[in-house]
Amino acid sequence: PAPLADRSEAVLSRLQLLVTRKLDGLLQGDYAGLLPGPGSEAGESREYRPGDDVRRMDWPVTARTTTPHVRRTVADRELETWLALDLSASLDFGTGQWLKREVVVAAAAAITHLTVRGGNRIGAVIGTGGGASAPARRWRGGSAPAGPGVLTRLPARSGRKEAQGLLRAVAGTAIQPGRGDLGALIEMLNRPPRRRGVAVVVSDFLAPAEQWARPMRKLRVRHDVLAIEVVDPRELELPDVGVLPVVDPESGELHEVQTADPRLRQRYAEAAAAQRATIAAALRGAGAAHLRLRTDRDWLLDMVRFVAAQRHARTRGTTR
């Protein structure tokens, strides 16, 4: 509908202004990105330092000098970034300043701003629930993918105008009922194989870890991977508000919870903490950088701090 399109356009305009003001000060060069990877072209060797990627060991030089050496790599001229955006029904929820789906769109806007520079390309795959995959569609004009329960691919293109079209398509995507398949969404970034780049997965990661952990590990083999976990405070603890009706957005099931019971609230908080610890461990095991954004916090400030930490780590000889 026209009103929805107008609201999406207005939100994107505000997001672009926010992102430009806060993130431009961190950008020092055409190819600096959210995860500034070291590139893939071979360069000179240097001595190994703790934290270096052992996959870049220069074995001939190491054997010749008897001192461990790693091969420097030269940054690629163009960076290709792919977004995997989870817009399944569990993201259509929020009790803070934002809905979780709004944080997903906001994160996509920030990442796009950080990467679409100097001819860099950006593309996306979007999941809106369970169902069959949809073929790649044109998004030059910003038309949103449609259809219940689909996985949609938006081809990678360069240029700010094309990036804005991608963001309009993301913002205009309607969330569909039903359970999504996060593993299948991530797997879309593994097929077909692409040259080394940056892959960003934005989700609440509430699907069982065994569903998505293996595709994440496979993705890390070829790409620098960033996992952005979107969290709402009510997913971490329950308030004491008496009987609270709770609806599962993916199944539609309704439950009534007596939040006045302190033991129930404690068990809920403990189970939520264990769930988040499992998610963090799975992401760490997959080798992904992990950024958590909350609906009740300044998501852009958290992202700025994350970028600054990544840059600081890089200057000390590590990428994470």
Side-chain angles (χ1 to χ4, degrees):
L4 176 60
D6 293 342
R7 287 199 302 273
S8 297
E9 198 68 30
V11 168
L12 286 177
S13 297
R14 290 199 302 272
L15 285 174
Q16 185 176 19
L17 183 60
L18 283 172
V19 168
T20 301
R21 284 179 174 176
K22 286 197 175 183
L23 294 186
D24 265 351
L26 294 174
L27 298 177
Q28 304 293 332
D30 287 339
Y31 310 113
L34 190 63
L35 277 181
S40 56
E41 297 181 10
E44 299 177 352
S45 293
R46 63 165 173 80
E47 288 191 11
Y48 173 86
R49 293 196 295 263
D52 286 336
D53 190 340
V54 296
R55 293 175 298 179
R56 297 195 176 96
M57 293 292 296
D58 191 335
W59 296 112
V61 175
T62 297
R64 187 167 63 251
T65 63
T66 69
T67 301
H69 277 68
V70 293
R71 174 72 68 177
R72 293 178 183 267
T73 50
V74 180
D76 299 324
R77 289 191 172 186
E78 291 183 355
L79 176 71
E80 185 167 285
T81 299
W82 278 89
L83 308 174
L85 304 175
D86 180 7
L87 290 177
S88 55
S90 67
L91 276 294
D92 198 17
F93 172 76
T95 62
Q97 293 176 281
W98 309 79
L99 294 174
K100 290 200 294 182
R101 71 155 291 150
E102 291 173 336
V103 176
V104 172
V105 175
I111 293 164
T112 298
H113 180 78
L114 283 166
T115 57
V116 64
R117 298 163 61 86
N120 297 333
R121 296 184 298 276
I122 187 163
V125 293
I126 306 172
T128 60
S133 298
R137 305 175 184 216
R138 294 181 61 83
W139 51 271
R140 184 181 301 274
S143 58
V150 297
L151 301 175
T152 305
R153 189 188 308 274
L154 307 178
R157 297 194 177 101
S158 60
R160 292 189 179 275
K161 182 178 179 181
E162 299 290 345
Q164 286 301 309
L166 180 145
L167 289 176
R168 284 194 295 272
V170 171
T173 298
I175 287 182
Q176 304 293 339
R179 299 191 183 278
D181 189 338
L182 181 58
L185 178 66
I186 298 172
E187 190 62 34
M188 288 186 72
L189 298 185
N190 288 317
R191 300 192 307 264
R194 300 178 179 86
R195 56 180 262 181
R196 181 176 175 85
V198 176
V200 183
V201 182
V202 190
S203 173
D204 54 13
F205 292 96
L206 292 181
E210 56 268 20
Q211 181 191 102
W212 50 263
R214 184 175 180 180
M216 286 286 286
R217 290 194 297 269
K218 183 178 177 181
L219 190 63
R220 181 63 183 89
V221 172
R222 293 184 61 89
H223 305 287
D224 291 314
V225 179
L226 168 62
I228 299 182
E229 179 189 6
V230 180
V231 180
D232 187 84
R234 291 297 170 262
E235 295 171 336
L236 304 177
E237 59 183 7
L238 288 175
D240 183 358
V241 294
V243 178
L244 179 67
V246 179
V247 178
D248 184 337
E250 294 192 343
S251 67
E253 294 181 1
L254 173 65
H255 302 276
E256 291 186 346
V257 180
Q258 177 52 267
T259 62
D261 184 350
R263 292 174 299 178
L264 183 144
R265 296 199 306 273
Q266 181 180 359
R267 291 198 303 271
Y268 181 91
E270 291 173 351
Q275 181 187 45
R276 295 299 164 179
T278 298
I279 292 171
L283 294 175
R284 185 167 56 250
H290 183 194
L291 169 61
R292 178 176 291 175
L293 300 181
R294 292 176 53 129
T295 61
D296 61 340
R297 287 174 53 97
D298 185 341
W299 61 266
L300 190 51
L301 179 59
D302 289 340
M303 188 166 281
V304 167
R305 288 171 175 165
F306 177 84
V307 173
Q310 291 289 316
R311 299 249 169 138
H312 179 67
R314 191 185 182 202
T315 60
R316 299 180 61 183
T318 63
T319 58
R320 283 186 172 72

